[in-house]
Amino acid sequence: MNRDAGFLMDLFFPAECLACGARLARGTICDKCRIGIIPHRTAFCGTCAAPLPGFRNICHPDTPYVMGASGDYRNETLRALIHALKFGHIRGAAAPLADILAHYFAKLPIDHRNCIVIPVPISKERMRERGFNQAALIAEHFARFFGIPHKKDILIRAIHRGPQSELSDHAERRENVRGCYAVRTHTERRPGTEWGKVILIDDVTTSGATFAEAARTLRSAGARKIFALAIAKAA
Ligand SMILES: [Zn+2]
Ligand SMILES: [Zn+2]
């Protein structure tokens, strides 16, 4: 479906479950699909993806960020919603996904006050192709849920390369994103501003290479604490 068709679908056919197509009186996903999403209950180590019960990283304490993922990418509903957004260009899928992520995040022992929300950026080329950054749409809803700022222009993707999903090897994935992010210099750390705790948002994390590189870039620009959140974690 092209982008315009997706937009029209959003306008005229809102009453269908975005995951299974069932008719709905209102809303975007049906109860059966909603119940079928099994949310994670812990955060994960950004280095080895081990669950961090109690939120303490004991396996790799030097990891520059804590990873969160609201569910497993093998979950059919989550996958269907992510595909609807990313490949079906149905923007209406961003809100239920952000809602799932927000409910997961709200249960973690993290104080979200003084956090800013930053989406993992896409390149200009990808933006032209897709018309929107799916992570930014999710981040926008997520930030609104908690009433915290959403800053989509701080972190940019300066270098365009092929999608991570086409690479299976972890080393290749790391190499593919190396040096591709940048922080806009005029938004770099200013004393007294919100540049302390960052919630970085993406749709799917697989190897963690994207999060690691984006977190490294944010850290070197002054971000102190980073929570990297994905809707779904793939193995
Ligand atoms: Zn459904
Ligand atoms: Zn670890």
Side-chain angles (χ1 to χ4, degrees):
M1 194 189 304
N2 69 33
R3 202 187 310 150
D4 295 337
F7 176 66
L8 289 175
M9 289 283 285
D10 286 0
L11 272 184
F12 294 112
F13 301 101
E16 265 185 11
C17 173
L18 288 173
C20 75
R23 286 198 164 263
L24 291 178
R26 61 186 172 80
T28 43
I29 67 170
C30 73
D31 289 344
K32 196 169 137 261
C33 286
R34 195 182 300 276
I35 292 163
I37 299 168
I38 300 143
H40 287 147
R41 291 176 185 281
T42 65
F44 301 89
C45 171
T47 299
C48 72
L52 304 178
F55 214 66
R56 290 194 38 221
N57 191 332
I58 39 178
C59 51
H60 295 94
D62 291 337
T63 308
Y65 65 100
V66 168
M67 180 166 74
S70 49
D72 195 302
Y73 193 55
R74 284 170 299 188
N75 181 276
E76 272 179 38
T77 303
L78 277 186
R79 216 171 47 236
L81 287 171
I82 291 167
H83 280 206
L85 176 63
K86 210 168 166 179
F87 307 116
H89 301 128
I90 298 174
R91 296 173 195 228
L97 285 170
D99 206 49
I100 293 161
L101 189 62
H103 281 93
Y104 157 76
F105 184 71
K107 292 204 172 90
L108 298 179
I110 298 170
D111 183 0
H112 64 261
R113 285 170 302 177
N114 307 319
C115 283
I116 57 166
V117 180
I118 294 182
V120 168
I122 57 175
S123 64
K124 280 204 285 280
E125 289 81 356
R126 184 82 63 238
M127 192 68 160
R128 262 201 300 275
E129 201 177 285
R130 191 176 289 147
F132 60 90
N133 175 3
Q134 73 282 1
L137 290 187
I138 296 165
E140 195 182 327
H141 287 283
F142 179 93
R144 203 177 302 143
F145 184 97
F146 291 104
I148 52 178
H150 168 229
K151 306 272 184 188
K152 63 176 178 185
D153 299 321
I154 288 184
L155 185 68
I156 56 164
R157 174 139 189 169
I159 298 171
H160 175 69
R161 298 205 185 100
Q164 292 288 86
S165 54
E166 286 172 12
L167 305 168
S168 54
D169 182 68
H170 278 210
E172 276 177 4
R173 283 173 174 249
R174 269 201 307 279
E175 201 44 50
N176 195 45
V177 288
R178 191 181 304 280
C180 74
Y181 299 112
V183 166
R184 297 255 279 245
T185 47
H186 68 277
T187 50
E188 271 184 59
R189 185 177 178 185
R190 279 172 250 144
T193 59
E194 66 289 310
W195 195 223
K197 292 194 284 181
V198 172
I199 299 173
L200 185 63
I201 289 194
D202 207 356
D203 51 354
V204 181
T205 179
T206 304
S207 62
T210 298
F211 274 157
E213 185 64 17
R216 195 190 59 75
T217 309
L218 288 166
R219 277 262 179 172
S220 59
R224 281 186 296 111
K225 248 181 186 320
I226 298 166
F227 309 109
L229 305 182
I231 301 292
K233 189 158 82 65

